[in-house]
């Protein structure tokens, strides 16, 4: 810590040297100020009327000066005082870092500080858009748990225990469930279909719901597979719902989503929970259904002019049997259901060729969808 020395030599050179030392000490201490309390202590130490450093300098260097040196000393001490005053007034907490922001260093021509605003992930955005198509038709949104029981994921959807249809689902099971009855064992839901049953248990018909959400399958990741992906499911139940309602609804939804020129095509398929079942294709919205892009083959539709978008069908009466007590008597109500992969639709829509890009979190990729 700096102490005011007593002077013996009052020559201009000696005064100069003493003043320089004093200024160096003061600016050094100013740079060390790190809190409001330290700032106050620093100010008091230098400026206090009673025994502050400036007062001491006044006493020792000015009053103590021999008569013939008084004039010179007076000028020097005054200069020193105003310099110290500037340093003390300019001092603030975190002085060193703050100094580079001093007003005379601000270049107002530089761009301001950007605070990037996040945006919806392309898959989530696709889900919201597709859900929007159905909510505008009067559907409500339903959701359910990702960790599901065997009962909701399989049994109540008409996949009997040990039935080979379960093999199509590449299920990831939760470990250590063997002690429980089969229907209570936990797994990661392989599709959003269990939310059909969960919702019918709670709400009586008529029912119209869309179900967006993540699902899991034991698929090794590659350009078109991911162990976690997203589905959008739909279910409509009422009296006298027919396959015509299914076709009309889905045809309308695809035109809303992909554009009014797309056509739909329904081809027979199998799902345990629908009868009859179908796969729905849309005419390729990339090549317009021709299968070619100029001289090149159209890759997304594999030159067929059609792209498979979803599975669908009329709700199997066996499924209604599981929720009969909630008002779903298979002799009185009928319904249709459908399920599609949101990630695959996002890939097609944005012309992305690797599903992994959606899950790697690279902002250079994700920033392109803002
Ligand atoms: N859950 C089926 C799957 O993940 C997709 C599906 C097909 C859902 C037909 C449906 C449906 O609701 O009716 O493979």
């Amino acid at each position: 810590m700096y102490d005011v020395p007593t002077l013996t030599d009052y020559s201009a050179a000696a005064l100069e040297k003493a003043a320089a030392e004093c200024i160096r000490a003061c600016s050094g201490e100013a740079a060390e100020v790190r809190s409001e309390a330290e700032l106050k202590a620093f100010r008091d130490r230098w400026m206090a009327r009673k025994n502050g450093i400036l007062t001491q300098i006044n006493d020792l260097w000015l009053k103590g000066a021999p008569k013939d040196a008084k004039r010179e000393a007076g000028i020097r001490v005054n200069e020193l005082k105003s310099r110290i005053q500037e340093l003390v007034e300019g001092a603030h907490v975190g002085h060193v870092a703050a100094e580079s922001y001093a007003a005379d260093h601000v270049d107002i021509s530089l761009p301001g500080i950007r605070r990037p605003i996040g945006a919806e992930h392309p898959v989530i955005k696709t889900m919201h858009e597709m859900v929007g198509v159905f909510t505008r038709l009067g559907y409500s949104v339903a959701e359910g748990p990702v960790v599901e029981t065997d009962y909701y994921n399989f049994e109540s959807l008409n996949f009997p225990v040990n039935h080979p249809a379960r093999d199509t689902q590449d299920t990831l099971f939760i470990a250590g469930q063997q002690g429980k009855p089969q229907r209570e064992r936990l797994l990661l839901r392989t599709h959003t279909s269990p939310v059909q049953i969960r919702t019918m248990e709670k709400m009586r018909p008529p029912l119209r719901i869309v179900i967006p959400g993540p699902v899991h399958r034991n698929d090794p990741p590659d350009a078109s597979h991911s162990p976690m992906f997203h589905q959008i499911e739909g279910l409509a139940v009422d009296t006298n719902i027919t396959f015509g309602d299914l076709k009309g609804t889905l045809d309308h939804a695809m035109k809303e989503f992909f554009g009014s020129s797309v056509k739909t095509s329904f081809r027979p398929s199998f799902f345990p929970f629908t009868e009859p079942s179908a796969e729905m294709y849309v005419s390729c919205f990339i090549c317009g259904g021709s299968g070619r892009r100029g001289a090149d083959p159209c890759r997304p539709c594999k030159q067929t002019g059609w792209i498979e978008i979803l599975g669908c069908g009329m709700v199997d009466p066996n499924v209604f049997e599981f929720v009969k007590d909630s008002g779903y008597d298979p002799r009185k109500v009928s319904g249709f259901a459908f399920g599609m992969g949101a990630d695959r639709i996002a890939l097609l829509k944005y012309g992305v060729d690797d599903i992994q890009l959606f899950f790697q979190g690279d902002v250079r990729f994700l920033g392109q969808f803002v």
Side-chain angles (χ1 to χ4, degrees):
M1 275 285 215
Y2 177 75
D3 261 329
V4 184
T6 334
L7 299 182
T8 44
D9 182 355
Y10 284 87
S11 68
L15 279 165
E16 194 79 63
K17 189 164 167 272
E21 257 165 30
C22 178
I23 288 166
R24 205 177 315 122
C26 182
S27 90
E29 286 180 32
E32 295 303 320
V33 170
R34 288 289 175 273
S35 67
E36 289 300 329
E38 285 180 22
L39 183 60
K40 185 178 180 315
F42 167 73
R43 283 200 176 123
D44 289 346
R45 175 170 145 72
W46 286 85
M47 307 296 285
R49 232 164 261 261
K50 209 175 151 197
N51 219 30
I53 289 177
L54 284 189
T55 306
Q56 289 177 43
I57 285 175
N58 214 47
D59 291 342
L60 292 172
W61 296 1
L62 197 58
K63 289 189 187 149
K67 243 197 174 101
D68 54 347
K70 270 227 158 56
R71 211 180 98 80
E72 188 65 23
I75 294 166
R76 298 280 157 177
V77 168
N78 273 343
E79 274 175 9
L80 177 61
K81 269 188 188 168
S82 57
R83 186 72 195 104
I84 296 292
Q85 230 156 13
E86 275 174 28
L87 284 172
V88 171
E89 273 160 23
H92 32 235
V93 178
H95 183 86
V96 177
E99 194 171 54
S100 55
Y101 288 106
D104 55 345
H105 290 151
V106 171
D107 179 350
I108 60 164
S109 70
L110 287 173
I113 297 166
R114 268 176 214 276
R115 302 193 187 282
I117 299 170
E120 271 182 330
H121 187 280
V123 173
I124 301 296
K125 189 173 157 128
T126 302
M127 292 215 285
H128 282 164
E129 282 169 18
M130 189 62 86
V131 166
V133 168
F134 287 94
T135 55
R136 286 193 290 279
L137 288 173
Y139 284 59
S140 338
V141 179
E143 287 182 300
V146 175
V147 178
E148 193 45 285
T149 60
D150 184 284
Y151 176 76
Y152 286 111
N153 198 77
F154 291 126
E155 195 182 331
S156 63
L157 289 166
N158 201 30
F159 289 81
V161 173
N162 295 327
H163 193 282
R166 291 188 175 214
D167 289 351
T168 63
Q169 298 278 315
D170 300 308
T171 312
L172 289 160
F173 295 95
I174 306 283
Q177 301 287 304
Q178 278 69 20
K180 294 182 181 170
Q182 173 102 13
R183 52 164 51 196
E184 287 170 29
R185 292 183 197 165
L186 298 174
L187 46 82
L188 296 180
R189 71 176 181 194
T190 59
H191 49 180
T192 41
S193 306
V195 187
Q196 291 190 22
I197 304 291
R198 286 185 172 275
T199 311
M200 287 191 284
E201 284 179 349
K202 287 186 295 209
M203 297 168 74
R204 304 182 71 83
L207 184 71
R208 282 172 184 75
I209 50 168
V210 253
I211 308 152
V215 301
H216 293 77
R217 298 220 185 155
N218 187 15
D219 279 329
D222 65 24
S224 54
H225 294 86
S226 162
M228 189 280 303
F229 58 103
H230 301 81
Q231 289 191 338
I232 303 154
E233 183 98 8
L235 172 69
V237 186
D238 204 337
T239 49
N240 299 318
I241 298 267
T242 68
F243 202 88
D245 296 315
L246 180 159
K247 287 180 76 176
T249 305
L250 291 180
D251 186 74
H252 165 84
M254 294 305 117
K255 288 182 162 66
E256 279 281 294
F257 189 83
F258 292 111
S260 56
S261 59
V262 301
K263 298 188 181 71
T264 50
S265 165
F266 293 81
R267 308 180 187 180
S269 184
F270 171 79
F271 299 103
F273 40 93
T274 44
E275 182 60 33
S277 304
E279 264 147 20
M280 192 198 69
Y281 289 69
V282 298
S283 55
C284 182
F285 42 87
I286 292 154
C287 66
S290 67
R292 304 203 67 79
R293 300 180 79 182
D296 299 327
C298 180
R299 283 218 287 156
C301 69
K302 302 189 193 91
Q303 302 181 62
T304 64
W306 294 93
I307 294 177
E308 189 194 328
I309 290 289
L310 54 78
C312 58
M314 301 306 291
V315 178
D316 193 305
N318 289 350
V319 171
F320 286 137
E321 286 291 340
F322 286 95
V323 285
K324 209 158 131 184
D325 293 345
S326 316
Y328 294 86
D329 182 340
R331 286 164 307 177
K332 293 189 182 140
V333 296
S334 58
F336 67 77
F338 58 88
M340 63 189 110
D343 319 75
R344 215 175 87 78
I345 292 173
L347 286 178
L348 291 164
K349 178 168 174 173
Y350 295 112
V352 174
D353 57 12
D354 186 350
I355 197 173
Q356 299 306 320
L357 288 164
F358 284 147
F359 305 121
Q360 285 163 348
D362 186 334
V363 288
R364 290 168 303 179
F365 171 74
L366 296 174
Q368 298 175 64
F369 300 92
V370 177

